[in-house]
Amino acid sequence: MRTTRSTLGTALLCLLLLAAACGQDEPAASTRGATASSGAGATGTTGVAEFPVTVTDDDGFEVTIPEEPQRIVTFAPSMTEIVFALGLGDRLVGVSGSFDDFPAQAQEIEQVGGAGEFGVDPNLENVLALEPDLFLTIAGGDPWKEQLRDLDITVVTFNATDFDDLLDDIGRVGVVTGAAEGAEVLVAEMVAQADEIAAAVPARTTCFFEVYFAHSLTTVGPNTFIYDLLERAGCDPVTADAASDYPEWSVDELVADAPAVYLVTAESANSLEQIARRPGFAGIEAVANGNVVFLDSDLVTRPGPRVVQGLAMISAALFTTGD
Amino acid sequence: MPEPVLSLQDITCGYGASTVLHGVSLQVARGEVVGLVGPNGSGKTTLVRVASRALRPAGGTVRVGGLDTYALPAREAARLVAVVPQDLAPAFSFSVLEMVLMGRTPYLSSFGRGGDEDWARTRAAMVATGVQHLADRSVDELSGGERRRVVLAQALAQDAPLLLLDEPTTHLDVRHVLDVLAIVRRLAEREGAAVLAIHHDLNVAAATCDRLVALHRGEVAATGSPEEVVTADLLRGIYGVEADVTTDVSTGRPSVRLAVPSEPVAPLGRRAHVVGGAGRGARIIRMLAEAGYDVSVGVLHASDTDANAAERLNLLRVSVPPFSHVDAEAEDAVRPLMREADLLVVCDAPFGPGNVANLRLALEAAEAGVTTLLLEQVPIGERDFTGGEATALWSQLRRRARSVGTYEEVALEFR
Amino acid sequence: MRPGGRRYRTVIAVLAALLLASVLIAIAAGSVQISPGTTVRLVAWKLGLAERPDVPVSTEVILFQLRLPRVVLAVVVGLALAIAGTLFQGLFRNPLADPAIVGVSSGAALGAIAVIIAGGGGLLGGLGVSLAAFVGGMVTAFFVYRIARVGPAVNVATLLLAGIAVAAVISAVMSVVMSFAGEEIRSIYFWLLGGLSARGWTAVEVVGPLILLGTAGAVLLIRDLNLVSLGEERAAQLGVDVDRFKWQAVALGALLAGAAVSVSGVIGFVGLMTPHVMRLIVGSDHRRLLPAVLLAGPTFLVLADLVSRVAIAPQELPLGAVTALVGGPFFLFLLRRERRRASARA
């Protein structure tokens, strides 16, 4: 019995040690750090997309894209929309999940998300199997991003903090995908539309934006993307002095703030009656007067090309409801 | 005088705030079996725990083989002191062999499977306790007696000069009691082990130990040979019981018989006299006494069993020295007792020349009108050692007395 | 189970085979389909036994950079948790003891959370958090141990209660701390849900040696574990230094559990169930129990991780949920069978 046990034990130990040894083989050809190669990867400059390009992404990494990417994976619905808007939909090989629903073609693309403890990480095996040459995503997920970088996947993170930053990001997406010209065009369009909307704003009005209501009311603070949109659409949210990005707001305070318009996403509530029924909400002027607007959240929460539609929608809602 | 194996000097210790032992000293020499006795709460278990290195005393010294066991690492101490607990913990299913081998722990290394010496000692311990045939059996399948012997074997395997036993015979049936004690005795005699054993049963302690130490309220109340320690005074003093201490005829050791405390009886105000002998009257005497009669007994020979019974019950009795005849003095003493009795009971004792006078006197009393009962479980023919005189007297008594065949009938007479 | 008996040898052989098979299956299976044949050829190539098969580089990378380290990590973490559970069950002489019992898991989680909220999530490439978790776990275990220690003696019942109390307090502190967390909340939940994804070879290299060391230490304690099972006083009478044994058991158990939690978060059930189930099969003699646990713990976690990876691929199930869902019913089944046997015997 001793012989059997020690033999098996040795075999197992060998297996473990071997496995550990195997791990050392892969050369970590990191793309981190400045490269000497020439790059035209500056922000928003006119110019032909010459590769290789080097950009500093919003996670602070200097990333070099050696060649024009042909197999792109996006891990955010907003990125998916941007890639399609740049006309690169046929180069998209992987998306995050079922939320990548616009445009319709995006729903046909292989989904790689759902892994990790919270079910929102990319499944690294699936990503690797796709052999992408560019992985575009937004902020968050440092552990798996690091893993991807260690496996020589080119990870680029863009995180839009407000509308202007979004325009900048779109430009940079264009640079890294070799569609810089297309990006410029898109950006110009978006600027024009936004200016038009801003010009059409008759007067400033006050509003409140509900993100979510469970047992407490969650809204947006001044450093958020949505807040910026609200301001551009012509409203001054009553949450200007909020301390955090997604603060809880008490109903009593809201009654006192008395915003003119109450904006809410369709995911958070279904109907005016539902909102009015909530304890204390009947005291909110906007709710009592029926100045409640239901917004398609995709248009206002995805920092992508359709944001201007969102702007238009908010603006229209602000100035056609009630009075 | 060689140094004692176990030397406890002036031990003071307790649990928390309460002190259990107050300056107890005790020695056990090589080859000596010392019994530790005393009532519950007297500190016996505590003292043994102090000796076994389980409880550090607040005051006093503990020396085994001249060494302070508390200053030694557990491993070395275990080579000096072996404890035989009352039972094994509900352990996992180790085999008997493995269990006994555990006794060799103080000699084995972490991984040691044991050398020749270890196996030899283990086997010897198992043979000494008679469990070698159970070697491969699982411990939890054994009977109580077998388990106790395995525990003993485990302690023996330790090869320690001092052996501490905690109530080695409690919960064992008679045969196993004898086994265990014999093993311990052999160990002391042949291998010179020093043994200290807690005993609850005084008779067992007196019969098997060379010396006894009696504890009372944390102090040594008595120490010495069993004869010196086990006395009615000691029993009264530390146990608070009345007892009969006699010398066991086969062992020469003291034997304790506890008096069963009887209910105080309301006296009937009636007197009874019993003629008995050779134990035939003991029960009647007791029955009458418990019924409230003022009982007298006689004439008996001084060493007769019925005389002892009467003495224990503190009854009035008339007796003559053993093997002598009932003389005129005795007759004069007993005659009024019989005459004045409300009830006279003549038991079916054997009658010989020495005590046939009792029948004559009884006949006198019966003829004088005393209510007389004759107990006849055994026919007179078998009890007559006078060559006919007793039979003749008995027949005459029959005419004046009532014959009864059973104790129940006797009881009916006076209920 | 009879000492060295044939039945025991069979059980060990079966367990070893099961472990080997589980490891091979776990390497071969995953979210991305790789045929067993390809797996074998690639492994053979790595071992220098064959030519490199014609498969895309991505397959090779998936196998050796993603799956293999994850499976190896499952092996060592499963080993650590199972051995820690065995140590604590032996120390407390209670089959309900668990590595979390002296507060190691809670302390580790708190350590991790503290670093994450302080913004050190990226320190040492993520290892900073693991280190904080490990330190947190050890400090908590040490603290609990000190509470229960009076002079040289440790009261095991006090150790148990102190561990539970400290874990509860830490839990409360964590809730408060978490209410102040913003984006870090997701990282924090990882520590409470437990998992093995995206750890890579670094994790293995960091905790592997620690865990092997802890396991070796546990093996050295086998004899004392057996003796202590007779009761502390009896063990002392037989020559065991019981106080030294206690701190050795606590230290090793905390080391193993802390190392495991530092890379995998809190994974429940493995430490509780593995020694218990093995005890029902091979008995309580630690000379037989420990080797069985050594094989069963890794097998269990490798299989659980496999299920979590492939059940709803590309999505993953939380590993802690899988261990409970898979382990629980099996454990109950074994328990009932044992109870029935016991009452039949009585």
Side-chain angles (χ1 to χ4, degrees), chain A residues 1 8 12 18-20 23-26 111 113-118 120-121 123-126 128-129 131 147 151, chain C residues 8-9 16 19 31-32 46-47 56 58 60 62 65-67 186 190 194-195 197 199-201 205 314-316:
Chain A
M1 179 195 81
L8 288 168
L12 190 65
L18 213 51
Q24 312 292 1
D25 284 327
E26 302 304 318
Q111 300 172 357
E117 293 74 31
F118 236 11
V120 295
D121 295 349
N123 189 312
L124 301 181
E125 287 187 14
N126 292 61
L128 275 164
E131 296 178 343
Q147 273 268 294
L151 296 166
Chain C
Y8 177 70
R9 274 179 284 184
L19 177 60
S31 184
V32 168
K46 267 293 179 181
L47 293 173
S58 60
E60 185 190 325
I62 290 174
Q65 298 298 323
L66 286 177
R67 280 211 204 138
R186 263 205 55 216
F190 147 69
S197 53
R199 303 282 175 272
W201 282 110
E205 286 155 20
Q315 294 173 307
E316 285 181 14

